[in-house]
Amino acid sequence: MTDRPVRIGVQLAPQHATYAQLRDTVAAIEDLGVDIAFNWDHFYPLSGDSEGLHFECWTMLAAWAEQTSRIQIGALVTCNSYRNPDLLADMARTVDHISAHGGDTGRLILGIGSGWFERDYDAYGYTFGTPGLRLDALSEALPRIKSRWDRLNPAPTRSIPVLIGGGGEKKTLRIVAQYADTWHSFSDVETLERKLGVLQEWCDRVGRDMSEIEISTGVKRTHDGTIGSLEPVEAQYELGARLFTLGISGLDLDLRQARELVAWRDRMNAA
């Protein structure tokens, strides 16, 4: 069990909406008191019309960094394959400084994963390869990113937290044990319990205290826009999850469920 506070994220899918709609939704998410606004790193919609409206991840994060003042921001998750790791480190450092608004501390979370959406790779000229090769590339990229942060001038505003997404037990969770501040998956309760056991084994192997890693999970949307039963969320909480992220899309920008999750967070953190 962990004494970390509960945090709520909202992943705003940058699809099927104008940028003005996405900008206004980010403002509403921040006003709700949500802890983190995420987007995603793809080039085409993942649901609905496959040729529908869609915007790029990192240029959007830079705009969010300037637009917002309190909420943390990041991708859920950046695809490691799409950018040179040293360039990505510089991009993250720059967005982190933008988000500091002249203060001491930025608000960027570097969410990163190995990539999986083959259409992105094919359309933009990246080599898709195999899951194993993409995970090997992620493992090689993370120390390069951290090394580049140490050499940039100016340096990042603080140690930029790294969120790693994915649940592969042979490679991904080893990488999480080595490099992640937060581990995110979309696991159900039973799967999360098993994978936490595997993550503990990897932490033991690499000499990492697993309590240093925040456990993050996705929250399923309901058809009516409300939470419905909190039992799955509370069961994941009992397993140690502390960051709960709801996905919304340009197809449906209803924030009722996010509002309920924020209220639940406040109850849990006040207990």
Side-chain angles (χ1 to χ4, degrees):
M1 192 58 63
T2 176
D3 60 358
R4 292 176 182 272
V6 173
R7 300 200 295 163
I8 300 300
V10 170
Q11 183 187 42
L12 175 57
Q15 61 178 12
H16 305 306
T18 65
Y19 187 73
Q21 290 172 311
L22 296 171
R23 182 186 59 231
D24 291 347
T25 303
V26 169
I29 289 168
E30 182 171 49
D31 288 345
L32 277 181
V34 169
D35 297 286
I36 308 168
F38 292 109
N39 60 7
W40 68 32
D41 190 18
H42 294 291
F43 305 130
Y44 297 95
L46 298 185
S47 62
D49 179 3
S50 63
E51 301 298 332
L53 299 176
H54 197 278
F55 291 96
E56 193 275 329
C57 169
W58 275 90
T59 43
M60 180 178 293
L61 287 177
W64 288 4
E66 189 64 54
Q67 171 191 346
T68 61
S69 60
R70 302 180 303 277
I71 198 168
Q72 289 189 289
I73 58 174
L76 193 63
V77 289
T78 296
C79 176
N80 176 63
S81 306
Y82 300 162
R83 300 162 192 88
N84 172 284
D86 292 87
L87 171 62
L88 178 60
D90 204 341
M91 292 166 61
R93 180 280 308 254
T94 300
V95 172
D96 196 54
H97 272 268
I98 295 169
S99 70
H101 286 210
D104 294 330
T105 304
R107 294 175 285 117
L108 179 79
I109 296 170
L110 178 60
I112 192 166
S114 61
W116 63 273
F117 190 36
E118 190 169 5
R119 184 186 183 192
D120 283 349
Y121 286 79
D122 292 344
Y124 279 66
Y126 299 112
T127 300
F128 188 56
T130 66
L133 289 174
R134 293 195 299 275
L135 282 164
D136 290 343
L138 176 62
S139 184
E140 294 167 2
L142 284 161
R144 284 180 60 182
I145 289 168
K146 290 178 177 287
S147 175
R148 179 58 59 184
W149 282 338
D150 290 338
R151 289 178 282 158
L152 288 169
N153 183 19
T157 66
R158 86 278 201 228
S159 179
I160 296 175
V162 173
L163 178 154
I164 295 176
E169 298 178 7
K170 293 182 179 180
K171 289 189 176 183
T172 303
L173 293 182
R174 171 182 57 80
I175 298 169
V176 169
Q178 291 175 303
Y179 299 111
D181 298 290
T182 300
W183 168 55
H184 181 84
S185 74
F186 292 95
S187 302
D188 59 27
V189 175
E190 182 179 352
T191 303
L192 180 62
E193 184 171 21
R194 184 184 76 252
K195 291 187 182 294
L196 286 172
V198 176
L199 179 57
Q200 181 64 70
E201 292 174 2
W202 277 117
C203 285
D204 292 342
R205 291 189 195 183
V206 305
R208 180 88 182 274
D209 183 349
M210 186 169 152
S211 68
E212 296 175 359
I213 303 172
E214 180 183 42
I215 307 303
S216 170
T217 187
V219 178
K220 291 184 177 180
R221 283 186 63 88
T222 57
H223 293 299
D224 66 356
T226 62
I227 290 177
S229 173
L230 277 169
E231 288 183 8
V233 173
E234 292 179 339
Q236 290 172 324
Y237 174 90
E238 291 300 319
L239 290 174
R242 290 297 181 270
L243 174 55
F244 300 86
T245 296
L246 173 72
I248 63 172
S249 168
L251 293 169
D252 179 10
L253 297 176
D254 189 338
L255 294 179
R256 284 178 295 170
Q257 196 170 358
R259 188 174 293 107
E260 292 183 58
L261 283 169
V262 167
W264 173 77
R265 174 203 67 190
D266 292 345
R267 293 195 301 271
M268 297 299 290
N269 289 341

